């Protein structure tokens, strides 16, 4: 079970979170977000995959950020079509070949509240590497509350997915329960529930969560 910490904004805080060795660190490029990132990322361990989060951005803008920050994952949090994802996939493959770097993952986000039409996923199958399910709310992520995870019992795909949306220490038991199912959950994505301010993560609480997640992995 992988762990992604999203919405990073401050350098010292990034380095402190990186010491906990999450699998992914997310950086949001969306001006309407209080966690919008506009700066330099400090040197991080190679094992941590830097993730660029975008909302209906142009492919040129995405590629520009990939080149600048060496992202290993692109997370699409808007209304990006399957054709957009296909075009982005082609651009990322060209970039990886030119730079002789490992392939770059594409994660496509879908927001859920009380129900979801899983047929929406079909055009993206075989194009994106993972789906990410987040809580549908006023903001594009970081709403601070979970959706009804029982909706995922009807998940029809073999494509692994990331579980996101309002996950904090209070959700540990719920996480334990859903991980007992046969659902292809690849990672847990956390953000606002571990913040003292937008983009500023509580290291001690993250450490506790990471330790609990490690126990789940071992168990």
């Amino acid at each position: 079970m992988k762990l992604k910490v999203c919405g990073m904004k401050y350098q010292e805080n990034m380095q402190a979170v990186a010491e906990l060795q999450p699998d992914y660190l997310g950086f949001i490029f969306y001006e309407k977000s209080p966690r919008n990132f506009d700066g330099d990322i400090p040197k991080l361990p190679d094992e941590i995959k830097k993730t660029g989060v975008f909302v209906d951005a142009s492919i040129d803008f995405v590629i520009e950020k990939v080149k600048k920050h060496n992202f290993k994952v692109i997370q699409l949090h808007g209304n990006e079509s399957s054709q957009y994802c296909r075009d982005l996939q082609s651009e990322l493959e060209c970039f990886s070949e030119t730079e002789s770097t490992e392939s770059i993952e594409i994660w496509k986000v879908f927001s859920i509240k009380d129900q979801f039409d899983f047929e929406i996923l079909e055009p993206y199958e075989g194009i994106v590497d993972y789906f990410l399910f987040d809580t549908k709310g006023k903001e594009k992520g970081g709403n601070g509350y979970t959706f009804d995870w029982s909706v995922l019992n009807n998940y029809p795909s073999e494509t692994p997915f990331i579980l996101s949306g309002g996950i904090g220490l209070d959700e540990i038991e719920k996480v334990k329960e859903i991980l007992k199912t046969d659902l292809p959950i690849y990672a847990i994505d956390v953000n606002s529930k571990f913040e003292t301010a937008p983009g500023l993560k509580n290291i001690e609480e993250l450490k506790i969560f990471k330790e609990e997640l490690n126990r789940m992995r071992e168990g």
Side-chain angles (χ1 to χ4, degrees):
M1 180 57 49
K2 306 291 186 183
L3 174 64
K4 172 171 168 275
V5 181
C6 198
M8 303 307 303
K9 194 168 181 178
Y10 303 101
Q11 288 208 359
E12 286 186 11
N13 194 231
M14 286 174 214
Q15 291 170 319
V17 172
E19 288 179 8
L20 301 178
Q21 296 181 308
D23 302 283
Y24 297 85
L25 276 183
F27 301 84
I28 297 170
F29 296 89
Y30 182 54
E31 289 185 354
K32 294 181 181 179
S33 170
R35 300 168 187 86
N36 183 52
F37 184 75
D38 183 18
D40 295 316
I41 301 174
K43 173 67 176 172
L44 299 175
D46 293 337
E47 298 78 26
I48 298 175
K49 291 188 175 182
K50 290 179 286 187
T51 304
V53 182
F54 301 89
V55 180
D56 298 319
S58 71
I59 288 178
D60 286 346
F61 181 77
V62 175
I63 297 299
E64 173 195 328
K65 298 304 179 187
V66 169
K67 289 178 178 177
K68 180 177 180 180
H69 298 295
N70 193 29
F71 287 129
K72 298 305 179 188
V73 180
I74 299 302
Q75 180 177 317
L76 303 173
H77 220 299
N79 298 307
E80 298 87 1
S81 68
S82 58
Q83 186 59 53
Y84 174 100
C85 293
R86 192 182 297 278
D87 292 343
L88 176 61
Q89 181 188 47
S90 295
E91 291 289 334
L92 292 173
E93 285 176 354
C94 288
F95 173 77
S96 296
E97 289 173 7
T98 302
E99 299 297 319
S100 298
T101 62
E102 62 185 284
S103 59
I104 298 168
E105 299 172 12
I106 298 177
W107 297 4
K108 181 67 186 85
V109 178
F110 295 91
S111 298
I112 300 176
K113 191 173 183 183
D114 302 317
Q115 55 188 11
F116 186 73
D117 178 7
F118 287 102
E119 290 184 6
I120 293 170
L121 305 179
E122 288 182 11
Y124 298 87
E125 294 280 5
I127 302 172
V128 305
D129 296 278
Y130 301 95
F131 296 124
L132 185 150
F133 296 118
D134 196 7
T135 304
K136 181 179 285 186
K138 186 172 67 172
E139 305 297 335
K140 289 283 188 181
N143 286 286
Y145 53 92
T146 60
F147 63 90
D148 182 359
W149 292 356
S150 67
V151 172
L152 297 173
N153 292 336
N154 299 317
Y155 185 65
S157 173
E158 293 183 2
T159 300
F161 66 83
I162 293 94
L163 185 60
S164 185
I167 299 173
L169 292 179
D170 291 342
E171 282 66 47
I172 286 174
E173 292 305 315
K174 280 182 66 179
V175 170
K176 286 179 181 177
E177 288 305 309
I178 198 169
L179 291 182
K180 291 177 183 176
T181 68
D182 293 329
L183 289 167
I185 302 171
Y186 171 71
I188 302 294
D189 181 20
V190 300
N191 188 351
S192 59
K193 278 287 193 76
F194 288 95
E195 289 184 333
T196 56
L200 190 63
K201 302 300 189 274
N202 184 313
I203 304 303
E204 287 308 310
E205 290 188 358
L206 270 177
K207 184 177 180 181
I208 293 169
F209 187 83
K210 179 75 162 40
E211 288 171 351
E212 288 290 339
L213 202 59
N214 287 343
R215 289 192 188 99
M216 295 179 214
R217 287 169 172 165
E218 293 163 3

